[in-house]
Amino acid sequence: MIVSHRVAVAITVVVVLASLVSGLTYPNVARNTTVEDKYGTVVVPDPYRWLESPDTNATKSFVTEQNGLSTPYFEQCPFRAEIRDRLAKVWNYRKVNPPQKHGNHYFQYANNGLQDQNVLYIQDALEGDNTNRRVFLDPNLLSTDGTVALTSTQSFSKDGSLFAYGISTSGSDWRKVYIRNVSSNENLEDVLIKVKFTDLVWKGNEGIFYGHYPDFEGDPEGSDTGTNENQKISFHRIGTRQEDDVIVVEFPEKPKNLIASMDITSNDQYLIVRPSAGSDEGSYGDNTIYYVDLSDSNPVNWQRRPIVETYNAGYSFITDYGNMLYFLTNFNAPRYKIVGIQISSPAPETWTTIIEEDSENVLNWAAPINRDYILLDYLENVASKLVVRSLIVGNSFSKQIPIEKGTVTSYAGKIEDTQLFIKFESFLVPNRIYQLDFTTPVDQIELEVFDDVEIEGLDFTLFEVKQVKYNSKDGTEVPMYIMHKKNLTLNATSPAMLYGYGGFNINILPEFSVRRIVFMQSFDGVAAVANIRGGGEFGNSWHEGGSLLNKQNVFDDFQAAAEYLIAQNYTNAQKMIIEGRSNGGLLVGACVNQRPDLYGAAIASVGVMDMLRFHLFTIGHSWVSEYGSSANSAQFPYIYAYSPLHNIKFPQSAGVQYPAVLVTTSDHDDRVVPSHSYKYTAELQHTIGGNENQSQPLLLRVETDAGHGAGSPISKLIDEQVDILSFLTESLDLAFEGQRKAPTDSGATSVLYSVGSMLVTITFAFWVSHSFTL
Ligand SMILES: *[C@@H]1O[C@H](CO)[C@@H](O)[C@H](O)[C@H]1NC(C)=O
Ligand SMILES: *[C@@H]1O[C@H](CO)[C@@H](O)[C@H](O)[C@H]1NC(C)=O
Ligand SMILES: *[C@@H]1O[C@H](CO)[C@@H](O)[C@H](O)[C@H]1NC(C)=O
Ligand SMILES: *[C@@H]1O[C@H](CO)[C@@H](O)[C@H](O)[C@H]1NC(C)=O
Ligand SMILES: *[C@@H]1O[C@H](CO)[C@@H](O)[C@H](O)[C@H]1NC(C)=O
Ligand SMILES: *[C@@H]1O[C@H](CO)[C@@H](O)[C@H](O)[C@H]1NC(C)=O
Ligand SMILES: CC(=O)N[C@H]1CO[C@H](CO)[C@@H](O)[C@@H]1O
């Protein structure tokens, strides 16, 4: 290899130096002449459109070649075995979810440490030492490699005797639904297919309502990228065939709407259906409300009737209480409130406010409990605040339940129960379950620790977390969490890893991350999480400040976070790492294009990179209310101006190159299809990788038999993190537990970010000495 490069030097110096500088020769990927004329204003080339076909030999070869380039790069990291060992040690802690009561049993998900998938256990009572605990469903037995997962598409019937559950293969969003008899612990014969994006709602033990795509012709197991339209809600009667199911709700005039968010009232009389906004109605997260009266015994007579017909807010069902349906909503309440609606008079003027909007904090979720009470989870400065209130109209009872700074990530307990279990996490608390016991007088209720998991050999007191506020480009104050070892010297030399998401009204709250711990512990790293606009941390305005034609604010907020970390001497631009997934992959891609000088490395995972065509694949059309669409002539120029795929350009300032970029995706990602990452990487390698001044690597990692993330087996998660940390070690020359890679192996990687000509000379010298030794 080296020798032939040397021969070539004499012929085309520029090209050879480029590949020598990075030590990488990028695959020669065919560029087609495909173009698209946009509104007569611009002709957009799309040379890699052929990579949108996932199953052609050409695309498969592309993936093989890219993995063939990135894998050896990861493997040259001398600390791989140690990194894997550290990750596995920290990951190997007991994971438990809150116990849920159904009928006479408690059910609980648990993982003894490194099991690929969590196991669902059943027990008769919570007292004692778990001796009565038995395995109810172990998804680890459903595949040899852990790639078959039990999903959150699941539901117990009200008396707890039947369990409907959706299984996903290879990380796909498609579900195959089975029904298990709890007392015999055996599956019934019923199987439902073509199921996706749905709740499962039991009507007694008679049957279930579910959402599905009966018209879908592709392969409901995974890599199919066809668009998903015409979702229906059907009723499946237990013991019958799926072909005989009756369609109960459909909106043929709105084929793109996701309609299957559902609940049923406590007496099984009404099915409540909350279709979410399609492509161009309302803003992301808005939904309408319909109900179906189930009094007639024959499903063909069930008709949907409207409660809220326009997309003007989001509504989620809390419970039925008295003669009202209670909804959590941001209708005329940007920080959310709870309203009571009577089916007989659904006009908003007649709604009753049950829990008023708070003047400062967003009401994040609400759990009714012990018949007349409700636990409210507010977001106060990007952390959970818990308050118990009364469900009774006009009763102003209110009690705050003190909790340390962090996040209540889930709860278990129904309105008829007296015990509520919550799961608590924070950056330095991996997994704690608290219990609230409503048999004690309600004004005396406190959190009691039910289970608190420790990680062997990990002393959390060695780390510190703080929350800061920084100003974004337009002066907006943005909060950010920053954490590191307590005794780290902050003299602008530490590597820093900044995480963000910024979209879809999603809150990025304090949660435990194994990779973050290892990064702080073994790499002396600083980890940061910026709560940029586009999320819901501060209500509607925060979300809308970063969606549609305000999307650029999200990138500006993230860039300002990086600038803050540099200005405050946490790190420097060469050691500044940014990372994001999905919408956060878009964030990373856009930021790298806009400020290549600000970052040393970027990890863009399962990202939305082609903003002109995302709406054409699987469920992409449902993001149009968040991003807008290139099919809209007014929105097109705005989107085109930041689309990661369309704004890749080598920086013009002397000494500035692109950061090291690692793009990751999975072959079965049917949420954000992998062609986003394929096309983006191909363009990056073509336009940037070919430049003589680019020494940093631009690589793609494609996981097989995996999807967008949910349900990934722990073994695959560890493999991925080993590769990401290896990539960072190599490209940024990071020290692992104080050790650095020996300089003699590092010809391709050790000199970064110096002035272009210097870089070439020095690297060339490396190369010369290297080749002489061979
Ligand atoms: C794709 O590759 C397979 C295996 O190499 C080969 O059998 C098949 O003919 C190829 N298909 C096409 C359309 O070239
Ligand atoms: C569930 O199993 C029990 C026996 O364990 C049986 O009596 C009951 O009929 C089963 N239920 C259904 C719906 O098959
Ligand atoms: C920081 O603390 C760790 C753990 O106590 C110790 O091993 C390390 O030497 C300390 N480093 C500095 C710079 O004090
Ligand atoms: C920064 O601090 C570390 C740890 O104390 C030290 O090894 C290093 O030399 C310092 N670097 C600079 C540029 O001050
Ligand atoms: C960062 O370090 C520089 C150089 O040591 C120093 O002048 C500056 O005051 C530091 N900034 C902060 C915010 O500590
Ligand atoms: C590489 O950098 C040098 C120094 O800044 C500059 O003169 C040269 O034009 C750059 N080459 C390319 C292809 O951008
Ligand atoms: C339309 C077109 O030219 N398609 C070609 C694009 O490149 C791929 C990969 O080389 C070819 O297979 C296509 O025929």
Side-chain angles (χ1 to χ4, degrees):
M1 265 314 268
I2 298 280
V3 171
S4 67
H5 274 169
R6 212 177 152 208
V7 172
V9 167
I11 308 162
T12 62
V13 175
V14 171
V15 172
V16 173
L17 281 183
S19 66
L20 277 178
V21 168
S22 70
L24 294 164
T25 307
Y26 296 111
N28 189 6
V29 181
R31 286 172 72 84
N32 289 158
T33 53
T34 315
V35 293
E36 200 159 310
D37 186 312
K38 291 311 251 183
Y39 311 105
T41 58
V42 51
V43 174
V44 182
D46 196 3
Y48 303 115
R49 189 169 290 182
W50 57 274
L51 283 168
E52 291 175 359
S53 309
D55 297 324
T56 61
N57 282 355
T59 300
K60 286 180 182 159
S61 309
F62 171 84
V63 170
T64 306
E65 282 184 278
Q66 292 292 338
N67 278 338
L69 187 67
S70 55
T71 305
Y73 187 86
F74 306 141
E75 285 176 349
Q76 78 195 23
C77 171
F79 310 118
R80 264 175 91 72
E82 291 90 336
I83 292 172
R84 177 178 293 279
D85 187 56
R86 287 297 323 148
L87 284 164
K89 280 213 171 85
V90 181
W91 227 303
N92 190 8
Y93 66 93
R94 203 165 50 83
K95 296 154 193 77
V96 286
N97 276 356
Q100 322 164 22
K101 188 166 183 244
H102 298 288
N104 302 323
H105 298 105
Y106 287 90
F107 294 83
Q108 187 177 25
Y109 280 98
N111 189 313
N112 63 21
L114 295 175
Q115 285 174 291
D116 270 331
Q117 302 285 342
N118 295 348
V119 177
L120 183 54
Y121 290 94
I122 182 172
Q123 59 196 106
D124 307 324
L126 286 178
E127 289 75 29
D129 53 1
N130 283 344
T131 42
N132 67 33
R133 194 169 94 154
R134 324 177 276 286
V135 171
F136 177 64
L137 218 160
D138 183 357
N140 296 298
L141 305 177
L142 301 177
S143 70
T144 51
D145 59 359
T147 55
V148 174
L150 182 54
T151 65
S152 58
T153 309
Q154 54 168 263
S155 164
F156 283 88
S157 65
K158 209 156 281 167
D159 70 3
S161 64
L162 295 172
F163 176 57
Y165 62 99
I167 288 293
S168 153
T169 303
S170 302
S172 170
D173 277 331
W174 287 108
R175 307 285 181 252
K176 207 179 248 187
V177 175
Y178 298 93
I179 317 278
R180 181 159 291 210
N181 179 337
V182 171
S183 68
S184 66
N185 207 0
E186 278 169 3
N187 279 355
L188 308 184
E189 279 172 16
D190 309 60
V191 181
L192 307 176
I193 60 165
K194 301 190 182 180
V195 176
K196 211 185 208 192
F197 307 126
T198 182
D199 292 320
L200 301 177
V201 170
W202 282 96
K203 180 174 185 294
N205 286 320
E206 261 172 72
I208 54 172
F209 296 95
Y210 66 103
H212 62 138
Y213 290 88
D215 307 340
F216 180 73
E217 303 264 314
D219 162 27
E221 289 278 89
S223 64
D224 194 288
T225 61
T227 187
N228 301 136
E229 296 190 354
N230 294 310
Q231 192 181 35
K232 320 272 188 206
I233 293 174
S234 289
F235 181 68
H236 173 75
R237 196 177 287 285
I238 297 309
T240 65
R241 297 179 318 157
Q242 188 180 12
E243 299 90 282
D244 301 328
D245 292 354
V246 176
I247 294 174
V248 179
V249 177
E250 59 182 331
F251 293 85
E253 71 286 7
K254 296 189 172 182
K256 294 184 195 314
N257 287 15
L258 295 174
I259 65 172
S261 293
M262 295 179 274
D263 298 275
I264 195 163
T265 53
S266 49
N267 56 6
D268 279 1
Q269 193 188 344
Y270 299 114
L271 179 73
I272 310 294
V273 180
R274 296 176 293 107
S276 55
S279 315
D280 46 13
E281 298 167 293
S283 67
Y284 190 87
D286 287 357
N287 56 263
T288 49
I289 314 175
Y290 293 82
Y291 72 96
V292 180
D293 188 335
L294 308 172
S295 312
D296 195 300
S297 61
N298 189 350
V300 300
N301 296 326
W302 294 342
Q303 298 289 325
R304 71 159 208 257
R305 312 233 180 264
I307 296 178
V308 172
E309 276 188 293
T310 48
Y311 287 97
N312 55 19
Y315 300 87
S316 50
F317 183 68
I318 301 293
T319 188
D320 53 304
Y321 192 83
N323 61 350
M324 283 192 280
L325 306 176
Y326 283 8
F327 290 93
L328 176 66
T329 180
N330 58 353
F331 178 72
N332 287 343
R335 288 175 299 279
Y336 293 83
K337 63 184 175 184
I338 295 179
V339 296
I341 303 178
Q342 284 181 317
I343 282 183
S344 56
S345 95
E349 308 82 72
T350 67
W351 297 354
T352 306
T353 300
I354 308 298
I355 304 288
E356 65 288 357
E357 181 189 20
D358 190 81
S359 59
E360 282 170 36
N361 301 322
V362 171
L363 178 50
N364 190 27
W365 53 257
I369 185 74
N370 196 24
R371 293 180 310 281
D372 293 331
Y373 291 95
I374 188 159
L375 179 73
L376 307 174
D377 178 80
Y378 288 97
L379 297 181
E380 183 175 57
N381 248 327
V382 202
S384 283
K385 172 183 169 177
L386 297 177
V387 177
V388 175
R389 294 281 302 261
S390 166
L391 284 173
I392 299 168
V393 177
N395 184 327
S396 62
F397 173 81
S398 175
K399 175 181 164 60
Q400 190 180 340
I401 308 282
I403 189 166
E404 70 179 282
K405 192 148 176 145
T407 311
V408 178
T409 55
S410 61
Y411 72 88
K414 298 194 287 278
I415 189 163
E416 63 269 24
D417 297 331
T418 55
Q419 263 173 321
L420 191 63
F421 294 93
I422 61 174
K423 182 175 180 181
F424 176 82
E425 269 182 58
S426 78
F427 297 113
L428 303 178
V429 178
N431 187 325
R432 183 179 300 154
I433 309 292
Y434 287 112
Q435 163 177 202
L436 288 104
D437 181 1
F438 279 80
T439 60
T440 58
V442 67
D443 53 354
Q444 288 167 31
I445 288 176
E446 286 171 8
L447 296 182
E448 299 161 51
V449 175
F450 176 77
D451 195 353
D452 192 14
V453 175
E454 292 190 355
I455 302 183
E456 205 187 313
L458 192 58
D459 179 359
F460 287 111
T461 65
L462 299 179
F463 303 93
E464 68 180 59
V465 180
K466 68 174 160 185
Q467 192 180 28
V468 301
K469 290 206 164 130
Y470 65 90
N471 291 321
S472 186
K473 190 176 177 180
D474 63 1
T476 301
E477 264 200 345
V478 182
M480 169 161 60
Y481 284 107
I482 303 175
M483 63 215 84
H484 50 76
K485 274 186 191 166
K486 266 183 192 158
N487 65 3
L488 191 67
T489 309
L490 296 174
N491 59 5
T493 59
S494 311
M497 184 145 24
L498 171 64
Y499 173 81
Y501 183 81
F504 294 94
N505 206 22
I506 286 176
N507 307 317
I508 303 301
L509 303 175
E511 285 186 16
F512 186 72
S513 150
V514 171
R515 196 261 305 268
R516 209 148 43 205
I517 294 289
V518 171
F519 183 67
M520 293 191 283
Q521 191 180 38
S522 299
F523 291 87
D524 279 340
V526 172
V529 176
N531 292 102
I532 57 182
R533 280 174 280 183
E537 290 88 339
F538 301 98
N540 289 359
S541 60
W542 205 247
H543 173 220
E544 284 161 13
S547 62
L548 295 172
L549 301 186
N550 292 324
K551 188 72 181 172
Q552 181 60 39
N553 288 336
V554 176
F555 313 137
D556 292 341
D557 289 358
F558 205 51
Q559 270 144 206
E563 284 174 330
Y564 176 92
L565 292 169
I566 293 167
Q568 297 295 316
N569 291 338
Y570 285 102
T571 188
N572 56 62
Q574 290 91 317
K575 293 269 169 69
M576 181 77 240
I577 302 157
I578 49 172
E579 56 161 345
R581 294 182 65 83
S582 196
N583 172 69
L586 155 63
L587 167 71
V588 167
C591 286
V592 161
N593 286 337
Q594 295 180 4
R595 287 296 306 277
D597 60 306
L598 200 52
Y599 314 112
I603 314 291
S605 300
V606 294
V608 184
M609 301 311 213
D610 182 351
M611 291 305 295
L612 302 192
R613 289 172 62 78
F614 71 83
H615 55 290
L616 301 174
F617 307 99
T618 62
I619 207 62
H621 52 71
S622 70
W623 316 326
V624 168
S625 50
E626 175 78 9
Y627 295 137
S629 165
S630 67
N632 174 320
S633 62
Q635 292 170 339
F636 161 74
Y638 189 84
I639 295 170
Y640 184 50
Y642 73 74
S643 174
L645 175 64
H646 301 98
N647 291 282
I648 297 172
K649 205 168 92 237
F650 199 83
Q652 293 307 295
S653 329
V656 178
Q657 60 168 308
Y658 259 49
V661 179
L662 176 60
V663 182
T664 76
T665 186
S666 302
D667 63 348
H668 279 67
D669 187 344
D670 50 6
R671 185 82 55 87
V672 179
V673 294
S675 60
H676 283 280
S677 295
Y678 299 168
K679 291 169 72 176
Y680 170 71
T681 305
E683 188 62 41
L684 202 56
Q685 292 177 345
H686 173 78
T687 304
I688 306 298
N691 190 293
E692 59 171 321
N693 293 330
Q694 180 68 26
S695 64
Q696 286 293 56
L698 310 162
L699 296 173
L700 173 67
R701 178 187 193 276
V702 184
E703 181 72 81
T704 50
D705 288 325
H708 195 59
S712 279
I714 286 185
S715 55
K716 276 195 194 293
L717 296 178
I718 293 178
D719 290 346
E720 183 184 15
Q721 296 309 328
V722 171
D723 286 349
I724 289 175
L725 289 172
S726 299
F727 175 81
L728 295 173
T729 306
E730 284 299 296
S731 61
L732 301 186
D733 188 24
L734 301 184
F736 174 82
E737 294 183 349
Q739 301 166 267
R740 265 201 150 70
K741 187 172 179 177
T744 47
D745 314 332
S746 62
T749 57
S750 60
V751 183
L752 309 176
Y753 245 82
S754 35
V755 175
S757 55
M758 268 278 282
L759 180 65
V760 172
T761 319
I762 293 167
T763 313
F764 189 68
F766 263 109
W767 170 72
V768 171
S769 63
H770 215 121
S771 63
F772 282 161
T773 61
L774 282 175

